[in-house]
Amino acid sequence: MARIYLDNAATTSLDPEVLDAMMPFLTEKFGNPSSIYSYGRETKLAIENARKSVAKILGANPGEIFFTSGGTESSNTAIHAAVNDLGCKHIISSPVEHHATLHTVEHMAHFSKVKLSFVNMLPTGHIDLAHLEELMAGSNEKTLVTLMHANNEIGNLLDMDAVSALCKKYDCIFHSDTVQTVGHYPFNLKETYIHFINGSGHKFHGPKGVGILYVNESINIKPYINGGAQERNMRAGTENLYGIIGFAKALEIATQRYAEDSAYMQGLKEYMASALVQNFPGVTFNGDTNGKSLYTVLNASFPLTEKSDMLLFNLDMAGICVSGGSACTSGANSTSHVIKAINSNHENIVPIRFSFSRHSTKDEIDMVLNTLKTNL
Ligand code: PLP
């Protein structure tokens, strides 16, 4: 059975061109980058070139980019460092963060005794900026603000400029989980008041298990993983060499293709949203679908009925790969914490996230619409 993959916010397929760039480092160029002889020097150079390329694309200095195992490790590193090394005693976050952030700030609140505040959510799925400022203004301790740039479930985009300006005004440390936007939007970190961002290769047709942490050069932090001197003493462990090469190549390709690909996916999203409205009475959308929203994500809710309760299962049976929450919670079959936080009617709906890549097509969307018709 041919499968239709519309779960690109969970992960994307590896671009063959990225694989080609990685292959020599999986075969003949296998040296340990810490070795001082030629095998090591060639792989070390390749990593430093990858770092330069990533830094240039993000508008950062190469010294501000650290390669990690992915978005989760990067967020853990940033949040631990803000508390342990930068003296933050108060964390402001939101209830719709990815668990990589949410579980980490809860851990810090429990074990490091920092104060944890959650900003109120608006029904659109955006944070309440006035409440955010109230929390900042009322804080008399050094504060970390950690708010995601784009929500992986509903697609909402943070008003980065507004949050960044508030963090500057109140002298906060600012971390943004940018896993859904690095490789999907342009960045200019030199122009942005921000201390940490993260990225994950597998969200933009790069390999899994590799990511970056950007650490603004104005701050000094200690490693989260201790051991060898890799990543300038900031992240111990032999580098994921081919992963790093793949991350940089995928980011280069995504950047070159950004204008064309983003317009194409935005078109698919709009096409699917209007077809859903035309064909399925009672369908609603989670998040600010037509406003500040990722072009890759469309999260629709269908009214809960005996039939729709089985929808995810039935779509899977028909070879359609979509998710109800994020990939990390979909196996658990529980309502997503994001939907719960923004929709008081969450018990009466079946939310489905459709997420697109440059390989998605209108034909696939039409087939999904037909399958939905027989299953609702
Ligand atoms: N943050 C967001 C918003 C994500 O979507 C993901 C991916 O699932 C992560 C963090 C975790 O990234 P990784 O899979 O690289 O650990």
Side-chain angles (χ1 to χ4, degrees), residues 126-127 129 149 157-164 292:
H126 288 300
I127 60 156
L129 275 171
H149 190 196
L157 281 167
L158 184 75
D159 187 340
M160 188 67 111
D161 290 342
V163 174
S164 168
K292 282 177 77 66

Side-chain angles (χ1 to χ4, degrees), residues 9-11 68-75 96-101 148-153 177-181 198-203 207-212 326-328 353:
T11 198
T68 67
S69 67
T72 302
E73 182 192 321
S74 298
S75 287
V96 300
E97 298 299 305
H98 187 275
H99 284 145
T101 297
M148 68 203 307
H149 190 196
N151 188 281
N152 51 303
E153 293 192 32
D177 173 354
T178 52
V179 163
Q180 292 289 340
T181 49
N198 53 357
S200 179
H202 71 106
K203 304 292 185 182
K208 295 173 180 53
V210 62
I212 53 147
S326 70
C328 318
R353 177 185 70 182

Side-chain angles (χ1 to χ4, degrees), residues 33-320:
S34 298
S35 299
I36 53 171
Y37 44 78
S38 59
Y39 269 101
R41 287 198 305 273
E42 86 183 341
T43 53
K44 175 87 180 155
L45 182 65
I47 289 180
E48 292 318 312
N49 285 339
R51 193 187 317 281
K52 276 187 205 150
S53 166
V54 170
K56 190 161 180 238
I57 288 170
L58 298 178
N61 295 319
E64 295 175 310
I65 303 295
F66 298 91
F67 291 109
T68 67
S69 67
T72 302
E73 182 192 321
S74 298
S75 287
N76 271 265
T77 306
I79 294 164
H80 277 79
V83 172
N84 296 333
D85 308 328
L86 304 176
C88 293
K89 297 208 157 41
H90 182 194
I91 299 177
I92 301 175
S93 192
S94 88
V96 300
E97 298 299 305
H98 187 275
H99 284 145
T101 297
L102 213 46
H103 290 167
T104 308
V105 295
E106 282 163 2
H107 175 91
M108 295 312 275
H110 187 72
F111 290 102
S112 301
K113 303 273 179 277
V114 295
K115 182 178 163 195
L116 176 58
S117 307
F118 287 114
V119 65
N120 292 340
M121 301 305 300
L122 302 172
T124 52
H126 288 300
I127 60 156
D128 180 343
L129 275 171
H131 184 229
L132 178 65
E133 179 156 15
E134 245 173 69
L135 289 172
M136 288 177 176
S139 185
N140 37 31
E141 319 223 58
K142 185 79 184 165
T143 298
L144 165 69
V145 173
T146 172
L147 292 169
M148 68 203 307
H149 190 196
N151 188 281
N152 51 303
E153 293 192 32
I154 58 172
N156 275 31
L157 281 167
L158 184 75
D159 187 340
M160 188 67 111
D161 290 342
V163 174
S164 168
L166 284 175
C167 286
K168 190 171 182 188
K169 180 173 171 191
Y170 292 97
D171 196 23
C172 299
I173 296 292
F174 181 25
H175 164 243
S176 186
D177 173 354
T178 52
V179 163
Q180 292 289 340
T181 49
V182 165
H184 294 279
Y185 284 89
F187 279 81
N188 189 353
L189 294 168
K190 285 200 179 83
E191 303 286 306
T192 316
Y193 178 90
I194 193 157
H195 299 92
F196 302 103
I197 72 160
N198 53 357
S200 179
H202 71 106
K203 304 292 185 182
F204 49 92
H205 303 287
K208 295 173 180 53
V210 62
I212 53 147
L213 173 65
Y214 158 87
V215 183
N216 188 289
E217 63 189 0
S218 66
I219 52 174
N220 270 318
I221 66 164
K222 296 199 177 75
Y224 178 60
I225 294 178
N226 293 288
Q230 291 90 354
E231 295 296 287
R232 301 184 314 288
N233 282 314
M234 260 294 298
R235 200 278 183 179
T238 301
E239 296 88 340
N240 177 356
L241 171 63
Y242 34 84
I244 291 169
I245 303 303
F247 183 101
K249 184 68 183 176
L251 189 60
E252 285 159 21
I253 295 172
T255 306
Q256 281 155 13
R257 301 182 54 118
Y258 165 68
E260 186 193 332
D261 286 354
S262 58
Y264 175 70
M265 284 179 254
Q266 180 67 34
L268 291 181
K269 173 175 169 171
E270 286 168 15
Y271 175 75
M272 186 164 198
S274 64
L276 285 171
V277 170
Q278 273 163 29
N279 290 288
F280 302 97
V283 74
T284 53
F285 297 104
N286 299 302
D288 189 15
T289 307
N290 299 315
K292 282 177 77 66
S293 179
L294 269 177
Y295 54 83
T296 48
V297 171
L298 178 66
N299 192 315
S301 278
F302 301 94
L304 178 66
T305 61
E306 240 171 68
K307 221 172 166 193
S308 71
D309 203 17
M310 296 298 289
L311 188 56
L312 262 185
F313 175 80
N314 286 331
L315 289 174
D316 184 22
M317 290 298 100
I320 293 167

Side-chain angles (χ1 to χ4, degrees), residues 4 264 370:
I4 296 177
Y264 175 70
N370 282 336

